[in-house]
Amino acid sequence: MGIEEKVPSGFLLSTVEGLAGYMRKGSLWPATFGLACCAIEMMATGAGRYDLARFGMEVFRASPRQADLMIVAGRVSQKMAPVLRQIYDQMPNPKWVLSMGVCASSGGMFNNYAIVQGVDHVVPVDIYLPGCPPRPEMLMDAIIKLHEEIQKTPLGVDRVAAARAAEEAALKALPTIEMKGLLRP
Amino acid sequence: MAASKGKKPGKPGPLASVAGFGTTFGTMFKKPNTEQYPEEKVPTQLRFHGRHQLNRHPDGLEKCIGCELCAWACPADAIYVEGADNTEEERFSPGERYGRVYQINYLRCILCGLCIEACPTRALTMTNEYELADTSRESLIYTKDRLLAPLAEGMVPPPHRMYEDASGREVTEKEYYRGEVPRADDDLLGQMLAAAKAADENAAEVSS
């Protein structure tokens, strides 16, 4: 009947996915979430010399409802963790999290009771960026790698299936407490 | 006083409220200083602390002796080393020991360079590479295969025996560290080339 039956299977949806991904990655709006020294580098990336406006993301939104990318820049203390989660929950879907710097990614050199050992204990992280603090080029590199991930994001049924598969994989994965070596948090 | 005759320093003149626009207007004629990062990469300073690298001796043997001093110096506990003994059949570095397992967790490493200062054999140095972002925690633990320096001209991948000079004498560990080994000896290079050739022929036979 329709065009869906004439074209090869998956053709139409994949094209729509590609288009949606292209538009999503071209207009990421970051929420300001500067927590420590990494925020200085994040501000430098937004300013004239490195100019995030080239990627269509110069507006750092102070309001989470108008943002879809959370750049967690700096160490997250135990007291900040619920605040971070609330801001993440307030952001509309689809949303992404970039964990900037070693402190946000794994606690870094602050392996103590006050700091959350990796922001992925609180929110799902899409891309990790090492460095202490990462230079603006490193942040832009992480953003470009995130763009590639966004471009590949499935839509509709595929998106639900992908989320299921990710959840199953996470349930099957070895708990961090049983991990050995450097992976142990 | 002479200064009190002129304009008072604290009081703005009549044009002061629009003087700021002059700065804005003047900026329009300046060249933009924006770096076009992904297209044109501006090289970092040579002393920039980037990703680590495990170096090799000129004949391809590893410099790391598995002493764990880098792991002890690390303020963030980001390095994990496990040493093992070299044997005559399997030699990875000149001398007694080599680093069997070498991991750096880039989600802990703060790129401070204390490990570089601690390394007694200059096995560990830093490159200027900084594009490290990745999507999972596991992939950011770099193992030895990603940290080792690539093989340069005249190097043979370990394990292999130590360098033999023209008279056929195997040189000592000290001569390695004095830099008296120029490259892998002809015997070893010949063996490597022959092995590569044989592998190529095998692959051709399998595919045909």
Side-chain angles (χ1 to χ4, degrees), chain B residues 13 15 47 58 64 72 76 81 83 87 89 91 104 110 115 123 142-143 152 159 191 197 200:
Chain B
L15 281 177
R47 58 175 185 266
C64 178
W72 281 91
V81 189
T87 55
E89 299 82 47
R91 172 172 290 288
I104 297 183
I110 56 171
C115 44
Y142 278 44
T143 43
Q191 277 175 26
K197 205 176 171 188
D200 275 354

Coordinates of all heavy atoms in Angstrom, one line a residue, chain B residues 13 15 47 58 64 72 76 81 83 87 89 91 104 110 115 123 142-143 152 159 191 197 200:
Chain B
G13 N 33.2 61.8 32.5 CA 32.9 62.9 31.6 C 31.6 62.6 30.9 O 31.0 61.6 31.1
L15 N 30.9 61.9 27.9 CA 30.9 60.8 26.9 C 31.1 59.4 27.5 O 31.2 58.4 26.7 CB 31.9 61.1 25.8 CG 31.5 62.2 24.8 CD1 32.7 62.4 23.8 CD2 30.3 61.7 24.0
R47 N 56.1 20.5 26.1 CA 56.1 20.0 27.4 C 54.7 19.6 27.9 O 54.5 19.2 29.0 CB 56.6 21.0 28.3 CG 55.9 22.3 28.3 CD 56.4 23.3 29.3 NE 55.6 24.5 29.3 CZ 55.9 25.6 28.6 NH1 57.0 25.6 27.9 NH2 55.1 26.6 28.7
P58 N 66.4 0.7 21.4 CA 66.5 0.7 20.0 C 66.4 -0.6 19.3 O 66.2 -0.7 18.1 CB 67.9 1.4 19.7 CG 68.2 2.1 20.9 CD 67.6 1.4 22.1
C64 N 60.6 -0.9 30.3 CA 60.0 -1.0 31.7 C 60.5 -2.3 32.3 O 60.6 -3.3 31.7 CB 58.5 -1.1 31.5 SG 57.6 -1.4 33.0
W72 N 53.7 3.7 42.8 CA 53.9 4.2 44.1 C 53.8 5.8 44.1 O 53.3 6.4 45.1 CB 55.2 3.8 44.7 CG 55.0 2.4 45.2 CD1 55.3 1.2 44.5 CD2 54.6 2.0 46.5 NE1 55.1 0.1 45.3 CE2 54.6 0.5 46.6 CE3 54.2 2.6 47.7 CZ2 54.2 -0.2 47.7 CZ3 53.8 1.9 48.8 CH2 53.8 0.5 48.8
A76 N 46.9 9.6 42.5 CA 45.5 9.2 42.3 C 45.3 7.7 42.2 O 44.2 7.2 42.0 CB 45.0 9.8 41.0
V81 N 50.8 -2.1 38.1 CA 51.9 -2.8 37.4 C 52.0 -4.1 38.1 O 51.9 -4.3 39.3 CB 53.2 -2.0 37.6 CG1 54.3 -2.6 36.7 CG2 53.0 -0.6 37.2
G83 N 55.0 -7.0 37.8 CA 56.3 -7.4 37.2 C 56.4 -8.9 37.1 O 55.7 -9.7 37.7
T87 N 63.0 -14.7 31.2 CA 63.7 -16.0 31.1 C 64.5 -16.0 29.8 O 64.4 -15.1 29.0 CB 62.8 -17.2 31.1 OG1 61.9 -17.0 30.0 CG2 62.0 -17.3 32.4
E89 N 64.3 -17.9 27.4 CA 63.4 -18.2 26.2 C 62.5 -17.0 25.9 O 62.2 -16.8 24.7 CB 62.5 -19.5 26.5 CG 63.3 -20.8 26.7 CD 63.7 -20.9 28.2 OE1 62.9 -20.6 29.1 OE2 64.9 -21.2 28.4
R91 N 62.4 -13.2 26.6 CA 63.0 -12.0 27.2 C 62.3 -10.7 26.6 O 62.2 -10.5 25.4 CB 64.5 -12.0 26.8 CG 65.2 -10.7 27.2 CD 66.7 -10.8 27.0 NE 67.3 -11.7 28.0 CZ 67.5 -11.4 29.3 NH1 67.1 -10.3 29.7 NH2 68.0 -12.2 30.1
I104 N 47.0 1.9 32.9 CA 46.8 3.2 33.5 C 45.3 3.5 33.3 O 44.7 3.4 32.2 CB 47.6 4.3 32.7 CG1 49.1 4.0 32.9 CG2 47.3 5.7 33.2 CD1 50.0 5.0 32.3
I110 N 45.6 12.2 36.6 CA 45.4 13.6 36.5 C 46.5 14.2 35.7 O 46.7 15.4 35.6 CB 45.3 14.3 37.9 CG1 46.6 13.9 38.7 CG2 44.1 13.9 38.6 CD1 46.7 14.7 40.0
C115 N 54.7 10.2 37.8 CA 55.2 8.8 37.4 C 56.4 9.0 36.5 O 57.3 8.1 36.5 CB 54.1 8.1 36.7 SG 53.2 9.1 35.5
A123 N 61.4 4.7 31.0 CA 60.5 3.8 30.2 C 59.2 4.5 30.0 O 58.5 4.3 29.0 CB 60.3 2.5 30.9
Y142 N 43.8 2.0 30.0 CA 44.7 1.6 28.9 C 45.6 0.5 29.3 O 46.2 0.6 30.4 CB 45.5 2.8 28.5 CG 44.7 3.8 27.5 CD1 43.4 4.1 27.8 CD2 45.4 4.3 26.4 CE1 42.7 5.0 26.9 CE2 44.7 5.2 25.6 CZ 43.4 5.5 25.8 OH 42.7 6.4 25.0
T143 N 45.7 -0.5 28.5 CA 46.6 -1.6 28.9 C 47.9 -1.5 28.1 O 48.0 -0.5 27.3 CB 45.9 -3.0 28.5 OG1 45.3 -2.9 27.3 CG2 44.9 -3.4 29.6
A152 N 59.8 1.2 15.8 CA 60.4 2.1 14.8 C 61.4 1.2 13.9 O 61.5 0.0 14.0 CB 61.2 3.2 15.5
P159 N 59.1 -11.0 22.6 CA 60.3 -11.4 23.2 C 61.4 -11.9 22.3 O 61.1 -12.5 21.3 CB 59.9 -12.6 24.1 CG 58.7 -13.2 23.4 CD 58.0 -12.1 22.7
Q191 N 65.7 -12.8 11.0 CA 64.7 -13.8 11.5 C 63.3 -13.3 11.4 O 62.3 -14.0 11.0 CB 65.0 -14.2 12.9 CG 66.0 -15.2 13.1 CD 66.3 -15.5 14.6 OE1 65.5 -15.2 15.4 NE2 67.6 -15.9 14.9
K197 N 57.6 -13.2 6.1 CA 57.4 -13.7 4.8 C 56.7 -15.0 4.8 O 55.8 -15.3 4.0 CB 58.8 -13.9 4.1 CG 58.8 -13.8 2.6 CD 60.2 -13.9 2.1 CE 60.3 -14.1 0.6 NZ 61.6 -14.4 0.1
D200 N 53.1 -14.5 5.5 CA 52.4 -14.0 4.2 C 52.1 -15.1 3.3 O 51.0 -15.2 2.7 CB 53.3 -13.0 3.5 CG 53.2 -11.6 4.1 OD1 52.3 -11.4 5.0 OD2 53.9 -10.7 3.7

